Amino acid sequence: MEEKKAAFDGLKAQIESQIPEEIARLKALKTKYGHEKVGEVTVNMVMGGMRGIVGMLYETSLLDANDGIRFRGLTIPELQEKLPGKRDREPIPEALLFLLLTNKVPTEGEVEALRVDLMERAEKFAKECAMNDANKSKKNVFDALRALPEETHPMTQLSAACLAMQNDSKFSKMYASGTMKKTEYWKYIYEDALDLIAKLPVVAAYIYKRSCVKEAARKSSEVPTVDASLDLAANFSQMMGFSSNECKELMRLYLTIHADHEGGNVSAHATHLVGSALSDPYLSFSAGLNGLAGPLHGLANQEVLKWLKEAQVALKGDYSAETVKTFVENTLKSGRVVPGYGHAVLRRTDPRYECQREFALKHMPDDEMFQLVSRLYEIVPDVLKATGKVQNPWPNVDAHSGVLLQHFGIKEENFYTVMFGVSRSIGCLSQLILSRAHGYAIERPKSVTSKWLEEKFQ
Ligand code: NMX
Ligand code: MLT
């Protein structure tokens, strides 16, 4: 354990040792190219959700319209190939977290040390809360959740839980003490971020067992028990009540591929924006979760499963091209979007969809709902192209995730976005640490009125 701890402290030291070089590099970039233009801003961009405007620094990942996501330069197949961890095949999210924070592929020992550190944080948190519950000594986040109606949407509960835990923020306490130098900010943000990444699966598993599962035998209002010998994903799966190796393996894949998608998506951008005001990780990530809870963003995974179930009822097993096409067209006619299809940046099938499809082909090729998903992949793009307005007719990550989860027993689709949120904490909070370490500015873009635009061009 001592050896593991030393390796882990090595991670914090590694981040610290990189800071002067990174700050110098950013300073040189500004001095040399500060006045260069990175692009043009048209009225369409201003009026179209800032699409295509290069407006922020985000180091942990970069999205290319045609190549898809790269985490510190690595594609998903490259991650699966290069990241070490305790696994059959899928990397464990701890390895990704290390990579995002250091821009370095970690060794087995470094991943193991980070795993131990996160699991110790999770176990300490769960044990303290269970103890408070037992002696009614101190209210905790689980009391806050119990105060909410059970049917409160799980995403609302997860976001509320972040706020309920904000009192634990080491950064906020240090800031309030007035003794913290700007160069020290990142150290406390780091502690909060790692605490939060460790706590979220415990809170999420609690929300699942209290609010999502229907069968009395699976329900629980107890603080989940952490098994610190497992990795973050396997423990999350186990706390939810799913202990099979296949489900743990799926959880590793799920928590890795949803972690980061550059900085402009709603959840990453919201976290980044709120953090830039020096709001601590609990406040910042709660804002990110509120954005993730929208149906055009993370809630799409819930919407996809609802839609697939609707399709199963309507199609009654007839997945012929003609009937599936009519079903998709009817979705559009009813005024809805086709959930799980389209993207603001991507112009191809999402590589996250592709790796989930591979997982399905390996573990559940005969699943009926997977066959429907595959059929939709053949039909939907042409239907969307025919509208003449959809920029990207291909499926995104959300078109596939639910069908995997339901196969392994996680059938309650209103929980799916919570799992997305648990994963997204890894990317958003890594960047939050780096943003404070590198002294990023408070974010404050300029807005204009439509009258201002009219007057400028008339
Ligand atoms: N179904 C129907 N219409 C669509 C779809 C779709 N899947 N995708 C885009 N459009 C429409 C869009 O609503 C817009 O219509 P209008 O001009 O009438 O407002 C038009 O096509 C042009 O939109 P785009 O420029 O192609 O897409 P945009 O960048 O504005 O939005 C999404 C991107 C992802 C919000 C959009 O494709 C969408 O609503 N998809 C369905 C929801 C979804 O799957 N979201 C998950 C995204 C991934 N994630 O996890 O966050
Ligand atoms: C994401 O993972 O954040 C989504 O694909 C949305 C996006 O990138 O805009």
Side-chain angles (χ1 to χ4, degrees):
M1 179 70 86
E2 272 317 301
E3 206 175 297
K4 285 169 187 165
K5 203 71 197 163
F8 174 71
D9 290 344
L11 165 63
K12 203 166 178 181
Q14 271 189 53
I15 297 172
E16 187 158 28
S17 72
Q18 292 174 347
I19 293 173
E21 206 179 308
E22 281 301 288
I23 291 179
R25 196 172 62 80
L26 295 176
K27 200 171 162 201
L29 185 65
K30 254 181 117 176
T31 312
K32 224 168 155 190
Y33 305 115
H35 295 289
E36 297 290 343
K37 290 185 180 150
V38 289
E40 282 193 347
V41 179
T42 63
V43 175
N44 272 338
M45 288 158 120
V46 173
M47 297 181 74
M50 299 197 274
R51 205 72 80 255
I53 296 178
V54 177
M56 69 196 286
L57 275 180
Y58 212 83
E59 303 285 19
T60 48
S61 64
L62 184 65
L63 182 62
D64 180 85
N66 298 308
D67 289 349
I69 192 67
R70 280 179 189 271
F71 302 92
R72 294 293 201 169
L74 300 183
T75 61
I76 290 174
E78 285 166 351
L79 285 187
Q80 288 171 322
E81 168 94 29
K82 294 190 175 155
L83 286 185
K86 251 192 205 163
R87 62 181 195 272
D88 302 329
R89 174 173 170 271
E90 300 304 338
I92 63 173
E94 289 88 331
L96 179 69
L97 174 61
F98 196 109
L99 173 76
L100 298 184
L101 281 168
T102 61
N103 194 18
K104 195 195 103 179
V105 172
T107 63
E108 289 273 356
E110 286 167 334
V111 174
E112 174 59 6
L114 180 53
R115 183 197 70 75
V116 169
D117 179 75
L118 287 169
M119 295 314 292
E120 280 178 1
R121 290 174 196 253
E123 195 176 34
K124 181 169 176 279
F125 163 68
K127 278 190 172 159
E128 274 174 16
C129 290
M131 219 184 303
N132 297 162
D133 275 359
N135 355 325
K136 311 222 175 314
S137 51
K138 201 172 144 204
K139 291 226 184 277
N140 60 55
V141 55
F142 299 98
D143 292 302
L145 291 175
R146 285 179 198 117
L148 294 173
E150 227 177 85
E151 60 279 12
T152 305
H153 193 279
M155 275 304 275
T156 310
Q157 296 195 44
L158 191 69
S159 177
C162 277
L163 297 180
M165 294 188 288
Q166 190 267 338
N167 195 34
D168 298 337
S169 168
K170 293 165 181 136
F171 175 81
S172 285
K173 286 196 178 73
M174 281 305 291
Y175 196 88
S177 77
T179 60
M180 180 172 51
K181 295 197 189 81
K182 199 171 175 183
T183 51
E184 306 275 289
Y185 287 175
W186 76 272
K187 292 184 181 165
Y188 298 94
I189 296 285
Y190 174 95
E191 290 303 327
D192 282 354
L194 264 67
D195 278 346
L196 188 50
I197 290 168
K199 289 170 179 179
L200 281 171
V202 185
V203 171
Y206 175 85
I207 294 169
Y208 178 71
K209 293 195 104 180
R210 173 180 174 255
S211 276
C212 301
V213 298
K214 307 264 181 314
E215 308 88 330
R218 289 172 62 217
K219 274 182 110 56
S220 168
S221 285
E222 300 285 306
V223 177
T225 303
V226 170
D227 180 347
S229 72
L230 297 177
D231 58 83
L232 192 88
N235 179 57
F236 183 27
S237 177
Q238 185 159 295
M239 287 186 300
M240 285 173 62
F242 302 97
S243 296
S244 74
N245 285 338
E246 276 182 323
C247 196
K248 288 175 179 167
E249 188 66 346
L250 172 62
M251 194 67 93
R252 291 181 188 116
L253 176 72
Y254 192 100
L255 295 191
T256 302
I257 63 174
H258 288 81
D260 213 25
H261 220 230
E262 76 170 26
N265 67 74
V266 173
S267 50
H269 190 186
T271 307
H272 186 73
L273 169 70
V274 175
S276 82
L278 299 187
S279 302
D280 62 56
Y282 295 89
L283 296 171
S284 306
F285 191 60
S286 171
L289 286 172
N290 296 340
L292 194 67
L296 296 189
H297 190 18
L299 201 79
N301 58 13
Q302 166 185 314
E303 296 304 290
V304 167
L305 209 83
K306 269 165 64 184
W307 186 65
L308 291 176
K309 285 181 182 169
E310 216 180 282
Q312 280 182 320
V313 172
L315 301 173
K316 298 187 190 78
D318 174 6
Y319 297 162
S320 63
E322 217 32 58
T323 48
V324 173
K325 185 168 177 252
T326 307
F327 176 78
V328 177
E329 285 170 344
N330 285 342
T331 300
L332 293 179
K333 277 189 204 141
S334 71
R336 291 182 288 169
V337 294
V338 175
Y341 279 76
H343 202 275
V345 179
L346 282 168
R347 294 296 175 259
R348 57 162 276 179
T349 297
D350 192 332
R352 299 172 297 178
Y353 177 95
E354 285 168 344
C355 74
Q356 293 183 94
R357 181 170 166 76
E358 262 178 48
F359 190 95
L361 286 169
K362 185 171 163 197
H363 295 278
M364 43 180 270
D366 300 327
D367 183 280
E368 196 219 310
M369 208 181 258
F370 170 54
Q371 284 165 4
L372 173 58
V373 166
S374 301
R375 196 72 173 133
L376 286 162
Y377 190 20
E378 293 165 3
I379 308 287
V380 174
D382 283 340
V383 176
L384 290 180
K385 279 182 207 163
T387 65
K389 64 174 184 179
V390 178
Q391 300 296 316
N392 177 44
W394 304 107
N396 60 56
V397 66
D398 298 317
H400 217 304
S401 52
V403 76
L404 300 182
L405 297 173
Q406 62 82 35
H407 180 84
F408 290 100
I410 308 172
K411 293 185 186 294
E412 303 80 2
E413 68 263 16
N414 64 347
F415 188 69
Y416 292 173
T417 315
V418 168
M419 297 177 63
F420 195 154
V422 168
S423 171
R424 192 47 59 102
S425 68
I426 291 171
C428 292
L429 295 174
S430 293
Q431 181 58 50
L432 203 66
I433 296 167
L434 299 178
S435 301
R436 297 293 78 76
H438 302 159
Y440 286 11
I442 183 168
E443 199 172 284
R444 202 320 184 172
K446 177 84 187 83
S447 71
V448 291
T449 62
S450 52
K451 199 162 186 322
W452 184 96
L453 284 173
E454 281 162 359
E455 283 167 4
K456 185 168 173 70
F457 296 109
Q458 256 159 21

